[in-house]
Amino acid sequence: MAGVNLRDVTKKYGRTEAVKGISFDIADGEMLVILGPSGCGKTSTLRMIAGLETVSSGTISFDGRPVTTVPPARRNVAMAFENYGLYEHWTVFDNIAYPLRLRGLADGGIRRKVTAVAEQLQITDVLRARPAGLSGGMRQRIGLARALVRDPSVFLLDEPMSHVDADLRNDLRAEIKRIHLEVGSTMIVVTHDQLDALTMADRILVMDDGRIEQLDTPTVVYDTPATTFVAGFIGEPPMNLVSAERSDGGDTLTLDGGGRFGPPPTLLDAVPTGANVTVGFRPHRVRLEPAAVAAASGDLRLDATVYMVEPLGDRTLVTVRCGDTRMKVDLPGSPGFTVDQPVRLTVDQADVHVFDPAGRRIDPASARRAAAA
Amino acid sequence: MRTAGWGRRAVLFVWVLFALFPVYWTLITAFKQQVDIYDGPRFIPFVDFEPTLQAWRTLFGDGGGDFLGKFANSVVFSGVSSLLAVILGGFAAYGLARYRYKYGPYRNDDLSFLIVSQRIMPPIVSVLALYVVFVNLRLLDTAFGMILAYTAMNLPLTVYLLRTFFEAIPVEVEHAAALDGYPQWQRLLRVVFPLAAPGLAAAFLLSFFFAWNDFLFSLMLTFNDAQTLPLYITSLNAQSQPLWWLISAVGLVALVPPAIVTVVLDRFMARQVLIGGMR
């Protein structure tokens, strides 16, 4: 087991910079999920930790011991791959046993370990089969088993669920989390699925364009996204983002399309006049009323028309249009809105997030601190 | 075949007759005497004509010239050159599939094309140049020279074929092998090559056939010691009249090695291409 530390790690492919000088620490035994869209540098980061990619600059260390130039075989890391990376010409048993054979373990010991790990992952029945004929979920389990059997100090999973059916995905998530609890080794999972990240991670590292957007616990990342990117990436449907402007000397923000938001004074102080900020709110934090009966409550008010109504059984997803912006509203039950109906959206102050022109969160707390200084 | 209809069976039966008749004809001709060959068609042994071992005695006796020597030449040249073409071509193809090269304006695809383009030219164009080279290097009519020529002839083919095969093997398999602790070398020999076995077998088979059937190179680059079977067969034709019984016998023998190679390698190719981790 080991903690992992990255310092100013950069990865260049020719002239393009895939990873732009990132630093972070993973505690021993932690489950970290690296989340981001394709091409954000998350897989490059994982491969550099594995040693499969060279590091262009910066250092990687395990437990303070630098491993930047150590070949993958001597880092004692194990990895499960997006498309499994199984040895298709061998049986499942041989696939799992091989890393142990290479380490010179006795046959009896190998059989015991393989059987144990196969039982844990429920693949005992297919040990004699070849991977080729098996389902995606099964193959991913074999990949996990092969990685697990070695007791690696760091366990890396590259998009482990991307080729697995939706219902199997849920099972596999729970299973991976369970394995992490039982094995207790440091685990790094790369995914583009925000639900994977929210459900499995001790901490989530959100990446975009080779940079770290935010690194925190799922709750913090969800409740207080550090940037507009994080806000728009996490949550299903993601946060509504509307550009807004603080009118001259006024104490409200004017939203694109005519809405208004009266922020708390501490936050207002941090918003420069005339600057183009972004206001965000989660779809399920919105109250939606027909415009005719709308009360004047709520700190954010916005008039819009219904664009589309999508019933989801116990919830209803309403898309509204306000000027050129479309927003999602997630309502319980079936509230009976109709297309093109004029509506009013209201949101409480506490549920509204404000981001500065660069897309960084303006925090009432930090704004207060800035004001005090 | 239980479900096949009668019509389909009939068609297949006719086709089989059509395909096998030349082989049958060669077979019976190899056991005929001169008179049975020229005196109208004779189809059924023991009924139409009395089979004789005359051709075979000539071939394996004193009258066959150096039949066994030529046969050995063909087997050795084809086998060794195909093996070389597959091994060298395999490494080249692996490089083209896995690494990115940059030689001036040339990238992988350009290099690939450059290699394949060697095969676009009809061999008759290059064989004259090759002849001059062979004369100067004293390679004419040598086993080494012929193996070299056949290897060069087959390399473009094997590189082209194997590149696709290696590209189809997910790079993750190699990454997994690296993490498991394989040295690079073993990764290639124990993981990549076995996964590409169907491709390697197919490449060997095609190379073998090309070399085995080659006439032109043998005609231009050999005259005695390093002569191969196709040339020997032609020499049987060069007398006052074709010695059909001998030609047929040699033809039958010449069928054997490719058949053996096919049967042996078919097992690898039939092992349904296991590549492609994706499902």
Side-chain angles (χ1 to χ4, degrees):
Chain A
M1 278 180 247
V4 178
N5 324 93
L6 275 76
R7 285 289 162 272
D8 303 315
V9 170
T10 306
K11 178 68 198 178
K12 284 183 188 147
Y13 298 103
R15 254 175 240 160
T16 46
E17 222 176 353
V19 178
K20 299 170 177 171
I22 60 171
S23 308
F24 60 90
D25 300 296
I26 305 160
D28 188 5
E30 188 178 359
M31 160 91 87
L32 181 88
V33 176
I34 306 181
L35 175 69
S38 58
C40 74
K42 57 188 191 300
T43 297
S44 296
T45 305
L46 194 75
R47 289 184 175 190
M48 284 191 286
I49 296 171
L52 295 171
E53 302 258 14
T54 54
V55 175
S56 302
S57 70
T59 53
I60 297 175
S61 35
F62 291 174
D63 279 340
R65 180 174 48 93
V67 295
T68 317
T69 54
V70 174
R74 281 195 272 128
R75 293 192 188 192
N76 195 23
V77 296
M79 191 158 168
F81 295 90
E82 180 176 1
N83 46 19
Y84 323 120
L86 299 175
Y87 311 130
E88 307 278 352
H89 52 310
W90 294 347
T91 63
V92 172
F93 182 93
D94 288 336
N95 262 281
I96 302 171
Y98 205 77
L100 301 176
R101 290 207 177 114
L102 268 177
R103 278 165 184 70
L105 245 75
D107 274 359
I110 291 176
R111 203 166 309 121
R112 216 171 314 118
K113 287 195 109 177
V114 173
T115 316
V117 89
E119 259 163 39
Q120 188 178 4
L121 285 162
Q122 300 165 35
I123 51 173
T124 316
D125 296 344
V126 297
L127 280 178
R128 295 276 148 232
R130 278 176 214 278
L134 302 174
S135 71
M138 212 49 134
R139 290 153 70 86
Q140 192 51 268
R141 276 160 211 249
I142 299 164
L144 289 171
R146 182 179 62 180
L148 267 174
V149 78
R150 286 170 40 192
D151 301 323
S153 45
V154 183
F155 195 178
L156 309 171
L157 290 85
D158 184 12
E159 301 268 5
M161 257 104 56
S162 56
H163 295 305
V164 179
D165 299 340
D167 47 338
L168 262 173
R169 235 183 139 93
N170 291 324
D171 293 351
L172 209 53
R173 267 189 207 122
E175 226 159 283
I176 291 174
K177 214 174 169 180
R178 177 83 202 181
I179 289 170
H180 178 244
L181 275 178
E182 283 171 10
V183 178
S185 55
T186 312
M187 220 180 234
I188 307 174
V189 183
V190 157
T191 182
H192 62 269
D193 187 321
Q194 49 101 24
L195 203 54
D196 288 351
L198 289 173
T199 49
M200 295 193 300
D202 290 331
R203 285 192 302 160
I204 301 176
L205 175 80
V206 188
M207 280 186 81
D208 183 41
D209 193 26
R211 290 198 179 82
I212 296 177
E213 293 280 318
Q214 189 167 12
L215 170 58
D216 222 313
T217 60
T219 325
V220 173
V221 171
Y222 184 82
D223 288 342
T224 55
T227 63
T228 47
F229 176 82
V230 178
F233 202 75
I234 292 196
E236 177 53 44
M239 187 181 280
N240 293 305
L241 296 167
V242 192
S243 51
E245 202 179 0
R246 183 180 173 187
S247 41
D248 225 0
D251 54 2
T252 55
L253 303 179
T254 310
L255 272 59
D256 249 18
R260 289 196 163 274
F261 171 53
T266 47
L267 198 147
L268 191 69
D269 292 343
V271 181
T273 9
N276 210 333
V277 295
T278 305
V279 165
F281 45 88
R282 297 248 173 237
H284 63 279
R285 294 295 193 184
V286 180
R287 285 183 301 277
L288 192 65
E289 294 160 299
V293 301
S297 73
D299 305 290
L300 184 147
R301 289 190 298 277
L302 185 69
D303 292 314
T305 52
V306 174
Y307 181 73
M308 188 40 71
V309 180
E310 298 161 77
L312 298 172
D314 59 340
R315 309 180 287 128
T316 302
L317 203 58
V318 181
T319 311
V320 300
R321 189 169 51 184
C322 174
D324 293 332
T325 5
R326 281 182 202 164
M327 280 163 273
K328 300 267 187 199
V329 181
D330 192 343
L331 299 166
S334 356
F337 287 99
T338 52
V339 172
D340 288 337
Q341 181 183 4
V343 286
R344 167 166 285 186
L345 286 73
T346 53
V347 189
D348 287 342
Q349 209 174 49
D351 294 326
V352 179
H353 310 256
V354 182
F355 302 92
D356 72 10
R360 280 187 297 272
R361 174 185 195 79
I362 302 175
D363 213 338
S366 65
R368 215 175 300 132
R369 247 178 281 124
Chain B
M1 283 313 278
R2 223 171 346 125
T3 51
W6 283 108
R8 194 167 144 191
R9 282 190 196 194
V11 170
L12 285 173
F13 182 72
V14 172
W15 174 248
V16 165
L17 281 186
F18 186 73
L20 286 184
F21 183 76
V23 181
Y24 173 74
W25 193 248
T26 313
L27 184 72
I28 58 168
T29 308
F31 291 94
K32 282 178 184 171
Q33 289 179 340
Q34 191 169 359
V35 58
D36 299 322
I37 289 169
Y38 288 110
D39 184 27
R42 303 270 168 95
F43 290 95
I44 305 161
F46 300 109
V47 179
D48 271 355
F49 66 93
E50 201 55 36
T52 157
L53 285 175
Q54 186 198 321
W56 301 93
R57 280 201 203 95
T58 319
L59 223 50
F60 292 97
D62 295 334
D66 188 20
F67 165 70
L68 285 176
K70 316 289 189 210
F71 180 73
N73 277 349
S74 266
V75 171
V76 171
F77 299 171
S78 303
V80 175
S81 73
S82 302
L83 201 65
L84 280 173
V86 167
I87 293 171
L88 296 174
F91 285 125
Y94 179 80
L96 284 170
R98 282 289 186 259
Y99 301 98
R100 276 192 212 165
Y101 297 108
K102 207 174 143 183
Y103 296 111
Y106 289 98
R107 303 288 184 275
N108 287 24
D109 284 341
D110 308 305
L111 292 171
S112 264
F113 180 76
L114 206 67
I115 294 171
V116 174
S117 67
Q118 306 295 310
R119 203 57 202 271
I120 293 173
M121 251 183 329
I124 191 84
V125 178
S126 58
V127 80
L128 287 170
L130 208 55
Y131 176 79
V132 177
V133 173
F134 269 45
V135 169
N136 283 307
L137 294 178
R138 298 179 190 283
L139 288 173
L140 272 190
D141 203 27
T142 60
F144 179 71
M146 287 310 285
I147 289 172
L148 212 61
Y150 287 148
T151 307
M153 175 180 86
N154 281 326
L155 261 176
L157 180 85
T158 54
V159 171
Y160 178 74
L161 219 112
L162 290 173
R163 186 189 177 195
T164 359
F165 266 90
F166 287 134
E167 275 172 351
I169 298 174
V171 71
E172 281 77 6
V173 179
E174 285 175 65
H175 286 164
L179 288 170
D180 282 351
Y182 280 105
Q184 164 106 49
W185 225 170
Q186 275 207 33
R187 245 180 278 163
L188 214 59
L189 291 183
R190 304 240 14 208
V191 177
V192 179
F193 277 18
L195 280 174
L200 295 169
F204 183 90
L205 205 62
L206 280 175
S207 301
F208 190 89
F209 289 166
F210 277 121
W212 186 261
N213 289 332
D214 166 74
F215 181 76
L216 189 67
F217 280 26
S218 187
L219 177 72
M220 295 294 292
L221 305 176
T222 69
F223 39 82
N224 187 28
D225 294 349
Q227 227 171 36
T228 56
L229 267 193
L231 235 74
Y232 175 76
I233 293 178
T234 325
S235 76
L236 297 175
N237 208 355
Q239 320 259 331
S240 55
Q241 53 185 344
L243 311 171
W244 288 121
W245 55 100
L246 278 182
I247 293 175
S248 298
V250 177
L252 280 180
V253 178
L255 276 178
V256 174
I260 292 176
V261 172
T262 308
V263 168
V264 169
L265 291 185
D266 186 55
R267 227 172 296 165
F268 291 96
M269 290 191 288
R271 202 168 67 188
Q272 186 45 293
V273 186
L274 301 169
I275 314 174
M278 317 283 256
R279 293 174 55 80

